[in-house]
Amino acid sequence: MKAKVIVLLLLSHGVVAALGFAAGIYMLPILVAPDAPTMAEISAETGAASFTGEFRRDLEDSDALHWGEGTVAVSEGTISLVGRLSPGPDYKLYLSPEFVETEADFNRLKTRMALVGDVKTFNNFLVHVPPHVDPAQYTTVIVWCEAFGEFITAAQYQSPGR
């Protein structure tokens, strides 16, 4: 009887520890995220946006934990989102020459993509485009979780073959 109680206690404590660890991984990015840019900041940076697109929750590899929604504005110097992303660690913003909505497609095309930068906020974001990246040479903005290799969301902002 005593062994059974010990096993049940170890099992229950292990489950609680695992749930706590998972909750910590989910919550940490939210707790350490900087303040999201205001609408005024986004408007000032992307007032002359060349392109716009929409992040949608219904993409093939988006799910309850990996999604984005809102309007993406792309200009020569900045990419912004007025909307929301599901929170997570190590989000990166990429530009792709083709629309992507699955992890397999992302991995297949990654060598042809341009890494723009880190996404550190989940309600709106503003990411500066490096000088060597020309958004007009791409069609799609992608948010990717580098740490876990997870597709988050994508928005096509111009047609292929422009």
Side-chain angles (χ1 to χ4, degrees):
M1 185 68 168
K2 222 176 205 183
K4 187 176 181 180
V5 170
I6 290 173
V7 168
L8 286 174
L9 285 173
L10 286 174
L11 216 84
S12 66
H13 282 73
V15 167
V16 169
L19 289 173
F21 181 75
I25 288 174
Y26 180 79
M27 291 300 294
L28 184 61
I30 298 168
L31 296 173
V32 300
D35 291 336
T38 64
M39 288 302 299
E41 292 169 321
I42 290 173
S43 294
E45 289 282 340
T46 60
S50 305
F51 309 102
T52 60
E54 291 292 323
F55 283 155
R56 300 184 336 261
R57 285 184 180 234
D58 63 348
L59 299 178
E60 188 174 337
D61 273 4
S62 293
D63 57 36
L65 296 176
H66 310 99
W67 54 267
E69 62 184 4
T71 302
V72 178
V74 180
S75 66
E76 279 186 35
T78 57
I79 298 173
S80 68
L81 168 68
V82 175
R84 300 180 320 149
L85 298 172
S86 60
D90 199 21
Y91 281 4
K92 303 291 184 192
L93 191 70
Y94 284 88
L95 295 179
S96 172
E98 296 178 30
F99 182 70
V100 168
E101 64 178 316
T102 66
E103 290 161 12
D105 283 344
F106 179 89
N107 289 319
R108 178 178 58 82
L109 292 167
K110 190 171 183 180
T111 59
R112 296 176 42 210
M113 294 182 187
L115 173 61
V116 177
D118 296 333
V119 175
K120 297 189 181 263
T121 58
F122 309 109
N123 290 317
N124 300 342
F125 68 64
L126 190 59
V127 178
H128 294 281
V129 177
H132 66 278
V133 175
D134 179 6
Q137 299 302 309
Y138 300 91
T139 66
T140 303
V141 176
I142 301 165
V143 178
W144 177 259
C145 177
E146 203 73 46
F148 293 103
E150 288 286 337
F151 174 83
I152 305 305
T153 192
Q156 187 170 350
Y157 59 87
Q158 68 175 332
S159 299
R162 322 152 280 300

